[in-house]
Amino acid sequence: MLASMGVSVSMLASGSRGNCAIVASASTKILVDAGISCRETFKRMKALGDDPRLLSAILITHEHSDHVYGLATLAKKLRIPIFMTGATHQVWARAMRDANGNRPQLEKLERFEAGHRFQVGDIAVQPFTIPHDAADPVGFTFRAEGIKVGVATDLGYIPVSVRDHLRGCDVLVMESNHDVEMLRVGPYPWSVKQRVMSRVGHLSNVALADFFTNDYDNNAAFVVLAHLSEQNNHPEIARREAERALAMRGGLFANHVLLASQTEALQPIRL
Ligand SMILES: [Zn+2]
Ligand SMILES: [Zn+2]
């Protein structure tokens, strides 16, 4: 007997040393990004009681190594469809060439385009363009069983188009990368600081708070703060900023704020 298990979101890893999450319905299990090793991905899934052999597909947001580090091995082991945009695939394949210049072959590559919805099993996926310094970076929303999940990390700011896509989410995974002051006085070289702070860099705590205060529809039961910098942020600072902004909207108790971790998987969020 299989009762409906609803929709779940598992944050396996989040941050500049690797990003990986699972969005699942009762019958479909999507790996969102493959930024930690295959072995570590399997280990973290098993720790949550999850079976890697049940994964349906892997979706890639962009080609930065903290999102694709484990991809080649995972693709080879699991032999499931890999969804990337054409431009992301091109840059990834070029970077992955072996000593003889041969590009890696993905057995089941599925190209998608930002703005064009597609289906993986019973999950409807909507990819949308985000402002980030990669070839063709995207965020995603996922819909199944009347539940909507939004994932937007690695973005320099939140354009109107992204705000529109994130409306009505029941789970919202948002980047809360850095504390601007910590980044400013921190150890990064100036060029890197400039990159992180730019319109195609990463979202700061205060930029996310501004979104919560001014543009967010207060709809999500769970807000996950993700891609936190280990150098230029602190989980409690990120949490405080987000909760303060949500409280201003009277939404603090409606939105359960969670912090995704670099070093261990979060317990699955179930809806
Ligand atoms: Zn990136
Ligand atoms: Zn990243």
Side-chain angles (χ1 to χ4, degrees):
M1 192 193 71
L2 256 180
S4 170
M5 289 157 63
V7 169
S8 69
V9 178
S10 305
M11 301 298 298
L12 297 184
S14 186
S16 58
R17 288 191 291 118
N19 295 274
C20 191
I22 298 169
V23 177
S25 67
S27 62
T28 305
K29 211 182 271 290
I30 297 175
L31 198 69
V32 183
D33 281 332
I36 52 177
S37 71
C38 178
R39 177 189 306 220
E40 190 64 22
T41 305
F42 286 4
K43 192 175 124 192
R44 294 190 189 195
M45 285 188 75
K46 284 169 189 161
L48 299 180
D50 229 341
D51 183 351
R53 288 169 305 181
L54 297 180
L55 283 168
S56 319
I58 301 175
L59 272 57
I60 299 296
T61 58
H62 64 296
E63 75 279 12
H64 288 163
S65 67
D66 58 318
H67 299 260
V68 298
Y69 179 78
L71 178 61
T73 311
L74 279 161
K76 203 179 292 173
K77 287 231 165 102
L78 295 170
R79 314 179 90 172
I80 54 177
I82 312 295
F83 288 79
M84 306 167 99
T85 76
T88 298
H89 175 255
Q90 233 179 12
V91 179
W92 174 78
R94 205 183 297 148
M96 292 291 291
R97 274 182 302 206
D98 64 19
N100 301 318
N102 296 317
R103 295 177 176 211
Q105 294 301 320
L106 289 177
E107 210 175 302
K108 295 179 180 167
L109 172 66
E110 300 274 350
R111 290 189 182 84
F112 68 82
E113 275 177 61
H116 294 261
R117 182 183 297 207
F118 57 93
Q119 198 78 25
V120 180
D122 67 346
I123 301 181
V125 183
Q126 175 73 58
F128 53 88
T129 295
I130 54 172
H132 188 54
D133 54 359
D136 190 15
V138 297
F140 293 112
T141 63
F142 303 91
R143 281 177 205 263
E145 300 177 32
I147 299 290
K148 182 176 178 184
V149 176
V151 178
T153 68
D154 299 73
L155 66 175
Y157 70 104
I158 306 183
V160 176
S161 55
V162 172
R163 277 180 242 160
D164 287 344
H165 280 292
L166 297 178
R167 219 155 269 149
C169 285
D170 300 285
V171 180
L172 199 50
V173 179
M174 295 298 295
E175 171 160 55
S176 192
N177 181 260
H178 57 276
D179 176 86
V180 175
E181 189 56 23
M182 282 177 79
L183 176 65
R184 206 178 62 77
V185 301
Y188 283 10
W190 178 239
S191 60
V192 179
K193 290 182 186 183
Q194 264 183 319
R195 192 216 138 221
V196 172
M197 280 191 267
S198 78
R199 299 273 281 178
V200 289
H202 289 278
L203 204 67
S204 68
N205 297 340
V206 66
L208 180 61
D210 182 69
F211 163 74
F212 285 143
T213 310
N214 298 310
D215 301 302
Y216 169 56
D217 62 6
N218 228 340
N219 189 75
F222 295 91
V223 170
V224 182
L225 308 183
H227 217 301
L228 268 70
S229 167
E230 292 174 298
Q231 295 272 357
N232 305 308
N233 208 348
H234 189 282
E236 286 317 308
I237 295 175
R239 177 191 289 280
R240 200 198 316 134
E241 289 269 348
E243 288 186 344
R244 185 188 296 154
L246 290 166
M248 262 156 53
R249 294 286 306 277
L252 181 55
F253 299 108
N255 299 267
H256 198 68
V257 177
L258 301 171
L259 283 132
S261 156
Q262 182 72 84
T263 51
E264 58 183 358
L266 287 195
Q267 282 303 308
I269 299 162
R270 294 184 198 282
L271 284 149

